Amino acid sequence: MTNLEKYNQAFIEVLEVEVDQLSELKYQDIESWDSVGHMELVATIEDVFDIMMETDDIIDLNSYAKGKEILSSNYGIDF
Amino acid sequence: MIEINKKNIRVWSMLGMRRMIGPIMEDIVCYHDNIIFSTADLGRYFAYEGLLAKYPEHVVNFGIAEQNLIGASAALQKEGFNVFASTYATFITSRVLDQIRVNVGIMGFGIKLVGGAGGISDGNFSATHMAIEDIANLRTIPNITIICPADGMELVKTLLWMADFDGPVYVRLTGRANMPIINKVDYNFEVGKAIVCREGTDVAIVSNGTILGEVLAAAELLAENGIDCKVINMHTLKPLDKEMLFSIQNMKLVVTVEEHMKTGGLGGAMAEFYAEQSSHPRMLLLGIEGAYPDPGEYEELLIECGLKAESIADRIEEVLNQ
């Protein structure tokens, strides 16, 4: 799987969304992306990329797009 | 069904204990028809939104009326429900002490008391929201099992056990979001059986709750100075694991560390036990003493109360050198 596919899959599985919902998706836009859903999403992302995210990054990850930016600039993950 | 795996252990750590309650109860009520989550208007505090939305028949909110919470929870117990009565630890113990004394101690109703912000973790709300004499208060009431889980996984195991247990229980939640993971892999949890987190031969440090993270760090600092510490998670304060206490009786020093007044908590309970034996170890009781702390952030308060790893290690070394 490419990094983008892994990233998308984390959102799709945890938040139970379709791939065409991802690009504009933001925290609390949907019921499943609440605080608990957010923790599950972060834990899944950490698992698939074998990283441990910093608290500030966990808080800043407030959209699908922002998440890609954070992973790319702070964790060296290329999409 | 709650899965214990690496991902969930991480999620629970990030959430912190109080925000685990609602999601875990959602799973528990699927298998236990008779469970009620009752609260004194702190449902959101325990992240109960999902539970309320999916299983409203399992939730009762009594409003900010803690004495009524206990009285009504006792009535529900009498009708065959298993009630998890949940609010701040200081309110579910000290504020309602008479209701617990009567309904639980005297009448024997098996209410499950869930106390959030045990210790000083919500100390930014001042001492009125610190629970630092709760263990002392409840230890004297007969038949209440008292458990202070070390981390998220231990809290899950405690809640699952409580769901099947008829008697009264007080479970004390400690720490905040991003709490330390003490148990990194699944293990056999048994109420009343302490767990050795770190083997050692010189000093035994006995503790519970999330403060175990500081205790383990203190043990590492002491190891650098040639002091080998055994760290024990005494998650069940009542009943104490007497076999474990006997096993450490001959160590150079037995230390207790707790987010609680020095008097009447874990240290006091262990001292009472040892006082009745023909020989007993030298003890050092570390906890909060002298006065109620001023309001402050959790990390600041841990420093002020001497409960950070460096302070714990320093005190142990100081006593050993006396």
Side-chain angles (χ1 to χ4, degrees), chain B residues 301-315:
Chain B
L301 290 173
L302 287 175
I303 294 169
E304 185 187 313
C305 296
L307 291 173
K308 288 293 285 183
E310 295 77 7
S311 300
I312 295 168
D314 284 348
R315 277 294 283 135

Side-chain angles (χ1 to χ4, degrees), chain A residues 14 36 39-40 42-44 46-47 52-53 55 58, chain B residues 6-8 10-11 14-15 19 23 47 53 177-178:
Chain A
V14 174
V36 177
M39 300 300 175
E40 290 191 14
V42 167
T44 303
E46 288 181 341
D47 212 21
M52 189 75 111
M53 290 183 72
T55 305
I58 293 172
Chain B
K6 188 178 154 203
K7 186 190 121 181
N8 280 343
R10 172 71 173 134
V11 170
M14 287 193 284
L15 282 173
R19 277 191 287 252
N178 296 313

Side-chain angles (χ1 to χ4, degrees), chain B residues 16-70:
Chain B
M17 287 194 190
R18 66 170 173 91
R19 277 191 287 252
M20 284 176 62
I21 298 294
I24 300 299
M25 293 303 294
E26 260 184 74
D27 273 311
I28 289 177
V29 302
C30 289
Y31 302 96
H32 297 83
D33 257 346
N34 67 334
I35 286 195
I36 298 276
F37 173 84
S38 67
T39 185
D41 210 33
L42 279 179
R44 285 182 185 274
Y45 182 82
F46 291 106
Y48 84 149
E49 290 89 341
L51 176 68
L52 180 64
K54 291 179 200 156
Y55 306 106
E57 68 278 15
H58 287 274
V59 178
V60 184
N61 184 356
F62 289 97
I64 308 176
E66 290 83 5
Q67 291 94 335
N68 190 37
L69 169 69
I70 298 301

Side-chain angles (χ1 to χ4, degrees), chain B residues 157-172:
Chain B
K157 290 175 181 284
T158 302
L159 293 171
L160 289 172
W161 173 80
M162 285 162 65
D164 285 322
F165 183 63
D166 289 334
V169 181
Y170 169 47
V171 60
R172 184 191 210 230

Side-chain angles (χ1 to χ4, degrees), chain B:
Chain B
M1 195 65 187
I2 299 167
E3 267 189 59
I4 291 182
N5 55 38
K6 188 178 154 203
K7 186 190 121 181
N8 280 343
I9 290 171
R10 172 71 173 134
V11 170
W12 295 331
S13 166
M14 287 193 284
L15 282 173
M17 287 194 190
R18 66 170 173 91
R19 277 191 287 252
M20 284 176 62
I21 298 294
I24 300 299
M25 293 303 294
E26 260 184 74
D27 273 311
I28 289 177
V29 302
C30 289
Y31 302 96
H32 297 83
D33 257 346
N34 67 334
I35 286 195
I36 298 276
F37 173 84
S38 67
T39 185
D41 210 33
L42 279 179
R44 285 182 185 274
Y45 182 82
F46 291 106
Y48 84 149
E49 290 89 341
L51 176 68
L52 180 64
K54 291 179 200 156
Y55 306 106
E57 68 278 15
H58 287 274
V59 178
V60 184
N61 184 356
F62 289 97
I64 308 176
E66 290 83 5
Q67 291 94 335
N68 190 37
L69 169 69
I70 298 301
S73 294
L76 287 165
Q77 288 279 156
K78 190 169 189 303
E79 295 302 310
F81 293 99
N82 186 2
V83 185
F84 285 58
S86 313
T87 181
Y88 273 99
T90 189
F91 300 158
I92 204 69
T93 55
S94 307
R95 177 166 291 197
V96 301
L97 191 55
D98 187 51
Q99 282 72 35
I100 291 175
R101 187 175 161 273
V102 171
N103 290 288
V104 176
I106 296 170
M107 297 175 76
F109 291 117
I111 307 171
K112 310 301 183 282
L113 307 167
V114 180
I120 50 179
S121 58
D122 273 16
N124 47 326
F125 290 121
S126 92
T128 54
H129 288 62
M130 296 176 192
I132 51 179
E133 65 291 273
D134 52 326
I135 304 293
N137 284 343
L138 290 202
R139 272 206 312 123
T140 53
I141 297 178
N143 301 320
I144 301 182
T145 302
I146 300 175
I147 303 173
C148 187
D151 61 12
M153 190 187 348
E154 198 149 271
L155 174 59
V156 167
K157 290 175 181 284
T158 302
L159 293 171
L160 289 172
W161 173 80
M162 285 162 65
D164 285 322
F165 183 63
D166 289 334
V169 181
Y170 169 47
V171 60
R172 184 191 210 230
L173 314 185
T174 53
R176 293 177 70 88
N178 296 313
M179 59 179 165
I181 296 170
I182 307 297
N183 301 289
K184 295 178 174 40
V185 295
D186 199 358
Y187 65 101
N188 185 36
F189 170 79
E190 206 180 319
V191 170
K193 285 282 170 218
I195 295 167
V196 176
C197 301
R198 186 187 193 282
E199 285 292 355
T201 52
D202 296 327
V203 174
I205 314 176
V206 187
S207 185
N208 52 42
T210 55
I211 204 72
L212 265 161
E214 296 296 332
V215 170
L216 285 164
E220 293 308 313
L221 290 173
L222 288 163
E224 289 169 17
N225 292 342
I227 299 168
D228 190 26
C229 296
K230 182 172 194 156
V231 176
I232 295 165
N233 172 14
M234 187 74 72
H235 49 70
T236 309
L237 289 110
K238 187 177 178 185
L240 284 174
D241 183 347
K242 292 178 183 173
E243 199 179 311
M244 182 66 76
L245 295 183
F246 279 125
S247 77
I248 57 174
Q249 204 172 2
N250 296 318
M251 296 188 86
K252 282 183 204 165
L253 184 67
V254 170
V255 183
T256 58
V257 178
E258 55 195 314
E259 245 182 277
H260 188 275
M261 288 294 193
K262 190 173 148 174
T263 317
L266 173 66
M270 285 174 55
E272 285 165 25
F273 169 79
Y274 283 127
E276 291 196 312
Q277 311 311 316
S278 54
S279 68
H280 54 83
R282 185 178 183 198
M283 287 187 76
L284 169 64
L285 275 54
L286 296 179
I288 299 163
E289 59 181 316
Y292 283 94
D294 286 334
E297 293 301 322
Y298 186 37
E299 282 296 304
E300 293 167 2
L301 290 173
L302 287 175
I303 294 169
E304 185 187 313
C305 296
L307 291 173
K308 288 293 285 183
E310 295 77 7
S311 300
I312 295 168
D314 284 348
R315 277 294 283 135
I316 291 172
E317 216 167 337
E318 189 186 315
V319 168
L320 283 175
N321 290 335
Q322 280 171 357

Side-chain angles (χ1 to χ4, degrees), chain A residues 14-58:
Chain A
V14 174
L15 302 181
E16 294 176 346
V17 292
E18 303 293 330
V19 67
D20 53 11
Q21 292 175 262
L22 291 177
S23 60
E24 301 298 315
L25 196 61
K26 295 186 184 57
Y27 175 61
Q28 292 188 324
D29 261 359
I30 52 174
E31 205 178 311
S32 54
W33 200 351
D34 59 7
S35 58
V36 177
H38 187 70
M39 300 300 175
E40 290 191 14
L41 177 64
V42 167
T44 303
I45 290 171
E46 288 181 341
D47 212 21
V48 299
F49 290 112
D50 196 24
I51 58 174
M52 189 75 111
M53 290 183 72
E54 296 293 329
T55 305
D56 284 347
D57 291 335
I58 293 172

